[in-house]
Amino acid sequence: METCSCFVPVGKTPGRLFSLAPVLPILRSRKGRCPGSTGVAAGNRPGASGSKPGNGVATALQDLPGDRWTRTGAVLRDAPEVSEENKRISEEMWKEAEDSLEWRSVCSQVAAFASTSMGRDLCKVGGLPIGRDRGESQKLLDQTMAAVLLPRPLDFSGVDDISRIVTSAVSGKVLSIGELCAVERSLRAARGVYEQMMELSSIDGLSNRYSSLLLLFQNCSFLTDLAYRIEWCVDCNLSVVRDQASEKLQSIRADRRKNIENLEVLLKGISNRIFQGGGIDSPLITRRRSRMCIGIRASHKSLLPDGIILGVSSSGATYFMEPREIVELNNMEVRLSNSEKAEELAILSLLTSDIACFEREIMHLMDIILQVDLASARAAYARWMGSVCPVFCEGNDEVNSNEEPFLVNIEGFCHPLLLEPSAMNSSSPVLSGLPQSPSVIPVDIRVGHTTKVVVISGPNTGGKTATMKSLGLASLMAKAGMFLPAKGTPRLPWFDQVLADIGDHQSLEHNLSTFSGHISRLCKILQIASQKSLVLIDEIGNGTDPSEGVALATSILQHLLSCVSLAVVTTHYADLSLLRTQDIRFENAAMEFCIKTLQPTYRVLWGSIGNSNALSIAKAVGFDPKVLDRAQEWVEKLLPDKQRERQGLLYQSLSKERDLLEAEARKGESVLMEVKKVYHEIHSEAKDLDKREAALKAKESQMALQELKLVRSQVDAILLKFEKQLQDASPDQYNAILRKSEAAIAVIVEAHCSVGDSSEEDATAFSSSYAPIQVGDQVYVKRLGGKVATVVEAPGDDGSVLVQYGKISVRVKRSDLKVARTSEPAVPTPTPRAQQGQRPQRGRPGQEEVKEAAFGAAVQTSRNTVDLRGMRAEEASLHLAAAIAGCRSLGVLFVVHGVGTGAVKDAALRLLRNHPRVARFEADSPMNDGCTIAYIN
């Protein structure tokens, strides 16, 4: 056997070469991993050093007997303390439960969302991994949630199922170039999936959101060096081994190219000579028996004396001859070609050996990619179906008063196989809602914490079996990390086994009748059921004498009370529904049936007992009325009249109450819509009023500013004229000129006032802009929104004034200030007990009350009115205090507080009683309802 002088780059630096020992003998003798294989550099791993398979579901499942992707949901099969017989029965029952609950069909739906061939193949055979305990199922749910939160789908392009290729490499079969390229492409694609996850987790620090998926890559090797070696040695685009793969191959191919050039030169010369001699129509160089030769007519073969005939055309007219001159060169070409093939085979064998050495690492990496793909498929399936994440709850713990009162609480569950047509015909739904279809009726499943057995009764074709199967399928989906097509937050326990006896198990092959098959399965269920199992039994005790069937069913249900987590059975035996009266661990449920339409509604009435309604259904399908009449007579004989009447009245009462509640709900909804409509109208009108009020205020302010500007310009003109007259007048004329100017100013002020009170206010406001400002004066500050502040520092040389508003001190220009009132001697605050309408006492006790000055006429205008309606009490007090501070001396203030609850009025009167500037006030009266008149000092 030839040896291979193969070289590949160490690390990623081309040019650093090393030679290897013979390969093929080592590969043929190797049956497993390479002894002493150390894996790849730690720098190629996202987690800790070393190459250890993870504890993921797919990795754990590959250790099971049989095919690598075989998966079962029977937890008992892996328990060491369980007998082999029970393990076999558990495996058998799991497969039957899968078929009964149509688990493979649901997995096939998920297969459409898988991105890799591994994921699609696994889903199509119903192989979605199911958690072997609650922790594993929760991890699967967390992975699904992380995949749902991904902003964009992961790209799995390039990932192939290379398990068979790796198995072939381990068995000693030399891999082809295409197989090596598939391994290299899958390794690089797997690395790309991890890099996508890292890129998404680095955005805005969202690593915690995707931690459940990132943890899968912990202690994982991407075998970067192996992928690089394959790429260095093999050209996957051309499917050839590269010259640089080894020194020997490079030398052989160089010699071969040189030898072929010599061959072509000689053959072209000989071919042209024959062509010129008429031995052939055109120069023809070809290859026969791996040797280069020339085509020549049979009649002219003498042109090549001593030539070797390598072949003849089909017609016999052309000979393919090898000239004697090129025999040695052809021999060299054959030797070099064989050496090249041997060297290529040695290189492929070496790369195959490397893949066999890293079998565990490659299989572990592919398992991780498979888990990520399945999580992405479950997430896409959840978005497509509009599903929500379920929550596992403990089934055996005592319920607290603050906890959820239900052991199983699934609202609005829709069977996925029924949702598929409606989801196909609609746009992709989101997690907030289910695809709506009138043909799909959601099922509410609510089982209390104390319930162990649920007995579902009702008519045939009423949905009893479908409801029971929905619970079983929801349990399997939650265990497999799938979201449920339901509403809210579904809650259910984690069941270790789902044991189902559904359908007719009659078998001629095994000599089983309907009842025998039914009892045989019940026997197996009772044998392997555990405290965490879910048992589903359809038509328990059916197929035999009703009296014995009821007795057997009762005994089985009482036995299940103490040996399973939850059992759900369907029956037509009314006696089984009476078990609730003897043991509160039983619960009844009934499928609703509409007596008017003689059709089932497929709604579950929890806590109710349903009738089979066999006669009504037979009547609906067109049965002979005479036969039905005789059957009704037998029913009346077998069923006591009082019990039948009581059940009928109870059902009618419940139906009537339900109809009444539905009518009240519709009425309430109508009233709510009317209220919302009125609210929106009032809200719209209020916005319009606010806009109109703001517009009127703005217009009034603009007009007032224009009027004030006109008055100031006229007064400035009078003052300018006054100054000129003083310069030219004699001292005797000063008084006359002054009186004349004052009279002109008074005429201007009176002309721009609508009423007497307004004229005084305007004059005061006008004079306040020219009045000197002293420390302690109350002023309006424009920069503070017209708030009243106190002067704390006299005006400086630059004309600025320092004022204080609360805890804020600010320096403003003189032009931005307006004097509210000049400082006066301090006046003691009147006692809070001052009676309404009385003038407060001023000065020392014993002094005579100061004679009340004359106030202006009580004429209400927009300038002396403050409107407090619509305000809170505190806000109204602040507005009233500001209005009093800005009111002129001996003025009248109209306080409009309205009636309402009286809170604003009480706050206003309380402030008027205690304010030092309020001389007296007149409370509102029937003639002036909601308005108080205050007289300000």
Side-chain angles (χ1 to χ4, degrees), residues 594-605:
C594 182
I595 300 299
K596 296 180 180 178
T597 62
L598 298 179
Q599 294 292 330
T601 63
Y602 304 105
R603 294 175 55 185
V604 185
L605 304 177

Side-chain angles (χ1 to χ4, degrees), residues 513-817:
S513 65
T514 300
F515 182 74
S516 299
H518 179 59
I519 292 300
S520 175
R521 289 173 55 82
L522 289 179
C523 181
K524 294 177 182 178
I525 289 175
L526 297 179
Q527 182 176 348
I528 63 174
S530 69
Q531 293 290 340
K532 293 185 177 181
S533 298
L534 172 64
V535 176
L536 308 174
I537 305 175
D538 188 26
E539 301 294 349
I540 185 171
N542 195 21
T544 187
D545 180 78
S547 59
E548 294 184 358
V550 169
L552 180 61
T554 302
S555 179
I556 292 174
L557 295 182
Q558 290 177 343
H559 176 76
L560 291 175
L561 287 174
S562 59
C563 65
V564 299
S565 175
L566 179 64
V568 180
V569 300
T570 65
T571 184
H572 286 285
Y573 297 147
D575 293 339
L576 297 183
S577 300
L578 302 178
L579 295 174
R580 168 67 180 173
T581 60
Q582 304 173 7
D583 195 330
I584 60 172
R585 291 178 295 176
F586 285 93
E587 181 60 84
N588 292 322
M591 303 307 299
E592 188 181 42
F593 186 83
C594 182
I595 300 299
K596 296 180 180 178
T597 62
L598 298 179
Q599 294 292 330
T601 63
Y602 304 105
R603 294 175 55 185
V604 185
L605 304 177
W606 293 95
S608 302
I609 301 175
N611 296 322
S612 297
N613 294 298
L615 300 183
S616 299
I617 296 175
K619 182 179 180 181
V621 300
F623 215 84
D624 189 350
K626 296 181 179 180
V627 177
L628 295 180
D629 292 341
R630 286 195 295 269
Q632 183 63 35
E633 294 176 0
W634 279 104
V635 169
E636 293 176 355
K637 293 179 179 179
L638 296 175
L639 189 64
D641 294 340
K642 292 184 179 180
Q643 183 177 0
R644 179 173 57 82
E645 182 180 359
R646 183 168 60 253
Q647 289 181 351
L649 292 176
L650 178 61
Y651 180 81
Q652 293 178 3
S653 176
L654 292 175
S655 300
K656 184 177 180 180
E657 184 177 357
R658 187 196 64 192
D659 296 339
L660 180 62
L661 291 176
E662 290 178 352
E664 291 293 333
R666 289 192 296 268
K667 183 179 179 181
E669 185 177 1
S670 176
V671 172
L672 179 61
M673 295 299 294
E674 291 293 333
V675 171
K676 287 184 177 180
K677 182 178 179 181
V678 172
Y679 168 77
H680 290 307
E681 291 178 355
I682 295 175
H683 188 63
S684 177
E685 291 179 1
K687 286 185 176 180
D688 293 341
L689 289 177
D690 292 340
K691 292 180 181 178
R692 290 166 57 190
E693 181 182 3
L696 290 175
K697 287 183 178 180
K699 184 177 180 180
E700 185 177 354
S701 299
Q702 185 177 5
M703 294 176 62
L705 290 175
Q706 292 177 354
E707 186 176 0
L708 181 60
K709 185 176 180 181
L710 177 62
V711 171
R712 284 181 175 176
S713 63
Q714 293 176 353
V715 172
D716 289 341
I718 294 173
L719 291 177
L720 183 60
K721 182 179 179 181
F722 174 72
E723 291 176 355
K724 291 181 179 180
Q725 289 178 352
L726 286 180
Q727 293 177 359
D728 301 334
S730 62
D732 297 337
Q733 297 175 340
Y734 286 170
N735 292 333
I737 295 174
L738 178 61
R739 286 194 296 272
K740 184 177 180 181
S741 298
E742 290 178 348
I745 293 175
V747 171
I748 293 174
V749 171
E750 185 177 1
H752 290 279
C753 293
S754 57
V755 294
D757 290 340
S758 300
S759 63
E760 293 184 9
E761 292 176 4
D762 288 344
T764 303
F766 171 75
S767 61
S768 65
S769 62
Y770 294 93
I773 295 179
Q774 300 177 359
V775 176
D777 283 350
Q778 303 292 320
V779 293
Y780 295 105
V781 184
K782 294 181 180 180
R783 291 178 56 185
L784 298 179
K787 302 293 183 182
V788 179
T790 304
V791 178
V792 296
E793 184 178 323
D797 297 335
D798 57 353
S800 62
V801 181
L802 181 65
V803 298
Q804 182 171 0
Y805 176 75
K807 296 183 179 180
I808 302 175
S809 297
V810 62
R811 186 172 293 277
V812 295
K813 294 182 180 180
R814 175 64 181 83
S815 58
D816 293 335
L817 299 179

Side-chain angles (χ1 to χ4, degrees), residues 851-898:
K851 186 176 180 180
E852 185 175 279
F855 292 91
V859 179
Q860 184 177 2
T861 66
S862 61
R863 301 178 183 272
N864 63 353
T865 302
V866 55
D867 193 349
L868 307 180
R869 291 175 295 181
M871 302 181 185
R872 293 182 177 274
E874 295 80 5
E875 184 182 4
S877 300
L878 293 176
H879 278 72
L880 180 57
I884 294 175
C887 186
R888 64 181 179 81
S889 300
L890 300 179
V892 181
L893 183 64
F894 290 81
V895 183
V896 181
H897 47 68

